[in-house]
Amino acid sequence: MPQIFLPLDEITHCQVCGSLKDLRLCSQCGEAAYCSTECQKSDWPTHKKTCKTDRIDLTSFHPVLALIAEAVRVSATGTQRALRHVIVNSPNPGTPAEALPDGTQARIVKLGDPISPEEFSENTFKWWPTAKSEAVRLKLFRRITREGNVLPICLATCLALMHALYSTTTPAAADSPEHRIRLRYKSSPIADFGIARGKIKVAPEDLLAYVLSDGTVIKAQSPDDHYWIYFRTQKGDEAMLDCNMFPFNLCLIGHTRPYVPESVSYVPELVPMCFKDGAAGGGSSAKLAKLASQSEDPGQFLVERARFSVLRNPDILAAFEGVEVRDGSISMIGDVMEAFPEFLATIAGRKITSEERDCLFSTWATGYNVINDAALKDDRWKKFPPRPQIGIETDPGDVKR
Ligand SMILES: [Zn+2]
Ligand SMILES: [Zn+2]
């Protein structure tokens, strides 16, 4: 039954004399504010018992969060309809978008006969015979594999982060090996994180729509129902992480090797991750700007419409007290279990599906284990590169539009 210990949100007053001026944080923990070295020194005999804190830099750590999303997708591979049916047309790179019955546009993928998972893994040629090349085929495969469940994956990642990091605090006994673990970004502690809801601007030919043999049209992941994770520091700096752009052919990727422990059997070497300084829509990094320049309006690449704090949500904090993780799965005590899917529905502003609900709980459990195994165990995070290696996976043989 973890209790979540919130980080300091704002520096309001010196915790010794109450002064409102010249306030600075304790540089070791980022959790105590003082007006002067005198006040800090006088508080030290008490504060030292709770000061010890590992402060993990988000710039170095965020690939672990991208691993969570990928671990979930890898285990669900093959559940997408488009991977269980043969592709009978040729949606190769360069194919224009076509009009859909609802007036929108997308690149059409026509699905034919079912294909079994065995046949599929044996020979992907059978899945899509008219692909321009094997590279093109596998690129589409990776896009489809990474479709869907954007919101439950984002929320579960936040919950796993709270669960693994923010349930730790320094106990009163100074000789205890337990210590507090907190995230920081640049020089300031993370004060809040949660879900941003909005839209992502995508070129019509980078959207997919599946047409079944009976003519039914099913649109792939929606660019208008998009979510990502925002972070805000105590100083007010912002950062965002979006690991769900890949299906839109916005293929920012990062190397996973430095983050994957040897015990993890299979995670791809490159996984989607877009980490950006600042809030969505402004101050884009060079890599993202380069990516965005391929779409119509770089300034409107991601448009935030609403945000929902997860870390500081009172209902979520209360519900956490009934949560347990046993043998890699989440169990709940009492009625708290419903608080999490209800929050999912609140963020989405709609009813959620049973698949989304299941995805929320399974991703949370996976995420909790990934953070512990990849980052916290044996202090692995201390060996992470200061910033990850990032690249862009373009369409095979594609030249700049
Ligand atoms: Zn003071
Ligand atoms: Zn301190």
Side-chain angles (χ1 to χ4, degrees), residues 14 16-19 34-36 39:
C14 170
V16 175
C17 72
S19 168
Y34 302 101
C35 69
S36 59
C39 278

Side-chain angles (χ1 to χ4, degrees), residues 1-2 155-156 159-160 163 315-343 357-365 368:
M1 284 190 280
L155 178 57
L159 292 171
H163 196 169
D315 297 337
I316 293 300
L317 288 167
F320 247 102
E321 299 193 16
V323 172
E324 262 184 71
V325 176
R326 225 180 276 142
D327 303 327
S329 68
I330 306 270
S331 66
M332 307 277 170
I333 297 160
D335 307 329
V336 298
M337 193 149 182
E338 282 320 303
F340 300 101
E342 274 169 21
F343 186 42
R357 183 198 161 91
D358 292 348
C359 178
L360 177 71
F361 288 116
S362 66
T363 307
W364 178 354
Y368 181 75

Side-chain angles (χ1 to χ4, degrees), residues 26-32 34 40 44 47 50-53 180:
C26 168
S27 61
Q28 280 197 65
C29 64
E31 298 269 334
Y34 302 101
Q40 183 163 16
W44 183 243
H47 180 62
T50 59
C51 180
K52 192 177 176 192
T53 305
R180 189 191 288 123

Side-chain angles (χ1 to χ4, degrees), residues 252 275-277 283-293 390 392:
L252 268 181
F275 181 74
K276 186 162 108 56
D277 187 58
S284 60
S285 70
K287 289 279 186 199
L288 192 69
K290 192 177 162 195
L291 236 185
S293 69
I390 297 294
I392 296 173

Side-chain angles (χ1 to χ4, degrees), residues 215-252:
T216 312
V217 177
I218 298 173
K219 291 164 89 169
Q221 187 171 312
S222 168
D224 299 317
D225 189 30
H226 195 64
Y227 306 87
W228 57 93
I229 300 174
Y230 77 85
F231 298 89
R232 176 177 60 76
T233 69
Q234 198 266 330
K235 267 187 192 165
D237 286 327
E238 296 229 354
M240 53 147 293
L241 177 69
D242 187 332
C243 301
N244 294 289
M245 295 177 170
F246 201 92
F248 301 125
N249 214 14
L250 296 167
C251 305
L252 268 181

